Amino acid sequence: DQQVKQNSPSLSVQEGRISILNCDYTNSMFDYFLWYKKYPAEGPTFLISISSIKDKNEDGRFTVFLNKSAKHLSLHIVPSQPGDSAVYFCAARHTGANNLFFGTGTRLTVIP
Amino acid sequence: DTAVSQTPKYLVTQMGNDKSIKCEQNLGHDTMYWYKQDSKKFLKIMFSYNNKELIINETVPNRFSPKSPDKAHLNLHINSLELGDSAVYFCASSQGVGGETQYFGPGTRLLVL
């Protein structure tokens, strides 16, 4: 039973344009959401997070939006750079459980 | 000065063997985890330890036994390896139970033949 879903396995974007990665979840108890970035042969690296009390969090080129009513979050990368090419995992956590629930990832390719 | 390290990085072995994967973190965290990434790229929690105490034990065959000799180490021992155990295993750590940000090791790619 997958509680966090990333329905787009891949995304290609031109350098300089916006990349939008989407994530849906089913568990309304989730109160903290994270995005991880993963390069081949490496472990996931934390990128940005958002608490359920917010609907937006921004860090440089990266912005995460949370729509609780739709149980949906998205990661915006502007402008996209070739070095952003990686697999992006959405993850969620709820109070009382200290493990993360991951989506299956979206492979982003930024074309120079 | 790797934050979370795992050894070995690659492990190829025969069915029925017993193997161990080691994990060490030098971040001073008190919580460590093992995740399994299967062929569908799905990352799923297996175990979590806080201050050497087991706090999460998901539905994992008892052939998998984690051992935490101290807060900085969480090793994974697997008995009687099966073909379906082939996967990438990631170790992670965080500060505190419920620590929002988990830091991952590079993964151990296990192939059971």
Side-chain angles (χ1 to χ4, degrees), chain A residues 23-80:
Chain A
C23 177
D24 297 293
Y25 61 96
T26 57
N27 190 338
S28 57
M29 299 292 290
F30 286 145
D31 58 6
Y32 200 82
F33 304 88
L34 307 89
W35 284 94
Y36 280 82
K37 177 179 179 179
K38 185 182 179 305
Y39 292 117
E42 294 184 13
T45 302
F46 171 72
L47 190 58
I48 192 170
S49 62
I50 187 167
S51 164
S52 60
I53 62 173
K54 295 185 174 182
D55 55 19
K56 177 183 174 181
N57 188 26
E58 193 171 350
D59 183 3
R61 296 185 298 114
F62 302 90
T63 303
V64 56
F65 295 92
L66 175 62
N67 182 336
K68 281 181 296 198
S69 60
K71 294 193 179 69
H72 177 84
L73 64 156
S74 60
L75 174 68
H76 293 210
I77 307 174
V78 181
S80 301

Side-chain angles (χ1 to χ4, degrees), chain A residues 1-4 32 34 36 38 40-46 49 89 93 97-105 107, chain B residues 9-10 31 33 35 37 40-43 45 48 55-56 90 97-107 109:
Chain A
D1 177 29
Q2 203 170 329
Q3 300 183 54
V4 178
Y32 200 82
L34 307 89
Y36 280 82
K38 185 182 179 305
E42 294 184 13
T45 302
F46 171 72
S49 62
F89 288 95
R93 182 183 67 84
N98 76 322
N99 59 295
L100 296 175
F101 295 85
F102 281 87
T104 48
R107 180 178 300 280
Chain B
K9 200 161 185 179
Y10 300 95
T31 305
Y33 312 80
Y35 286 86
Q37 185 181 35
K40 295 180 182 176
K41 306 302 181 187
F42 186 40
L43 253 174
I45 185 74
S48 174
I55 54 174
I56 289 177
F90 288 99
V97 174
E100 295 90 354
T101 303
Q102 296 182 14
Y103 295 84
F104 284 79
R109 283 140 193 86

Side-chain angles (χ1 to χ4, degrees), chain B residues 11-20 63-64 76-83 85 110-113:
Chain B
L11 186 53
V12 181
T13 187
Q14 298 288 331
M15 221 166 42
N17 284 351
D18 302 339
K19 290 293 178 186
S20 292
R63 298 181 293 105
F64 290 78
L76 184 64
H77 189 76
I78 316 170
N79 289 327
S80 303
L81 277 156
E82 300 178 357
L83 295 177
D85 298 332
L110 171 65
L111 178 60
V112 182
L113 302 174

Side-chain angles (χ1 to χ4, degrees), chain B residues 26-70:
Chain B
N26 62 7
L27 298 167
H29 290 163
D30 60 4
T31 305
M32 295 185 71
Y33 312 80
W34 277 108
Y35 286 86
K36 178 181 180 180
Q37 185 181 35
D38 60 24
S39 57
K40 295 180 182 176
K41 306 302 181 187
F42 186 40
L43 253 174
K44 190 173 179 185
I45 185 74
M46 298 174 69
F47 301 102
S48 174
Y49 270 71
N50 174 254
N51 283 318
K52 304 194 301 174
E53 298 291 327
L54 180 66
I55 54 174
I56 289 177
N57 183 356
E58 290 296 307
T59 308
V60 175
N62 57 14
R63 298 181 293 105
F64 290 78
S65 52
K67 287 199 171 40
S68 182
D70 55 58

